[in-house]
Amino acid sequence: MMRRSVISAAGALVAGLVGGRSADAAAPAAAAGAALKLTTEDRLEIQDLYARYCHGLDKADPDMFSSCWTEDGEFTGGRGPGRAADDRTPRKGRDALTNMARNGGTRHFNSNLVLTPTVDGAKASVYLLLYTARTVPPTFVETAIYDDTLVKTPAGWKFKKRIVWRDDDDITPFKPKPLPANR
């Protein structure tokens, strides 16, 4: 009888510990208005989101690409040399975003992902190196910084808003500073 009591007590202790961890991991921000805490799992899912975005575009896979966005997602592309200052009309909604992934032939390389938890999900910034794979050898196209708003949905992390700030665009808030003259 004593053995059964010890086993029952141990089982209750384990169940309480596991249950407590599950409740803590699933809990939203501790206080109203506080930023969410990004878990290791969240960070891995977000890295996977960035990879699926790149592969969806590069392989011309509209289904993969559109799965990266919320239904009301918004993308504002970069303004390259020779494009008008007002040529930054956002593409909004799943249909407009799906059409972005119909051509393929590029290679998006993202690096230096920085995540900042927010009340609604996360803000993110990542560097972009873009090549075209349609030339031999592949040709460098642009460098930029993505400025992202991410949300966690029942289907996982998604892009809510994405803005491309090209390094060769005079309106970018991330313009590299010139080198000192006496260098």
Side-chain angles (χ1 to χ4, degrees), residues 97-114:
L97 296 168
T98 299
N99 286 332
M100 289 174 55
R102 300 239 182 251
N103 296 325
T106 54
R107 297 295 180 258
H108 288 73
F109 291 92
N110 288 171
S111 67
N112 301 331
L113 175 63
V114 175

Side-chain angles (χ1 to χ4, degrees), residues 71-128:
E71 287 296 325
D72 62 345
E74 179 179 317
F75 176 87
T76 303
R79 185 187 70 144
R83 289 177 59 190
D86 62 350
D87 192 13
R88 286 183 56 88
T89 304
R91 296 176 191 197
K92 295 181 181 181
R94 183 67 59 98
D95 290 340
L97 296 168
T98 299
N99 286 332
M100 289 174 55
R102 300 239 182 251
N103 296 325
T106 54
R107 297 295 180 258
H108 288 73
F109 291 92
N110 288 171
S111 67
N112 301 331
L113 175 63
V114 175
L115 295 169
T116 304
T118 66
V119 173
D120 299 322
K123 289 291 291 170
S125 180
V126 68
Y127 294 162
L128 166 68

Side-chain angles (χ1 to χ4, degrees), residues 9-171:
L13 177 62
V14 169
L17 289 173
V18 171
R21 284 188 191 143
S22 297
D24 289 345
L36 297 174
K37 180 179 172 151
L38 296 176
T39 66
T40 301
E41 185 175 317
D42 288 327
R43 292 176 181 277
L44 290 171
E45 285 180 20
I46 290 169
Q47 287 181 350
D48 183 61
L49 171 68
Y50 278 80
R52 286 185 294 109
Y53 172 96
C54 293
H55 281 259
L57 273 177
D58 297 346
K59 296 175 181 176
D61 185 337
D63 292 332
M64 178 187 286
F65 181 74
S66 67
S67 75
C68 297
W69 294 90
T70 61
E71 287 296 325
D72 62 345
E74 179 179 317
F75 176 87
T76 303
R79 185 187 70 144
R83 289 177 59 190
D86 62 350
D87 192 13
R88 286 183 56 88
T89 304
R91 296 176 191 197
K92 295 181 181 181
R94 183 67 59 98
D95 290 340
L97 296 168
T98 299
N99 286 332
M100 289 174 55
R102 300 239 182 251
N103 296 325
T106 54
R107 297 295 180 258
H108 288 73
F109 291 92
N110 288 171
S111 67
N112 301 331
L113 175 63
V114 175
L115 295 169
T116 304
T118 66
V119 173
D120 299 322
K123 289 291 291 170
S125 180
V126 68
Y127 294 162
L128 166 68
L129 298 174
L130 181 63
Y131 291 83
T132 179
R134 291 192 172 108
T135 60
V136 178
T139 307
F140 180 73
V141 177
E142 74 180 81
T143 62
I145 293 178
Y146 284 118
D147 184 18
D148 300 322
T149 302
L150 308 172
V151 294
K152 189 170 187 177
T153 72
W157 285 92
K158 307 275 184 185
F159 291 106
K160 172 85 173 164
K161 186 173 183 180
R162 178 161 248 210
I163 301 172
V164 179
W165 296 104
R166 288 176 59 123
D167 291 330
D168 59 358
D169 187 346
D170 59 349
I171 65 170

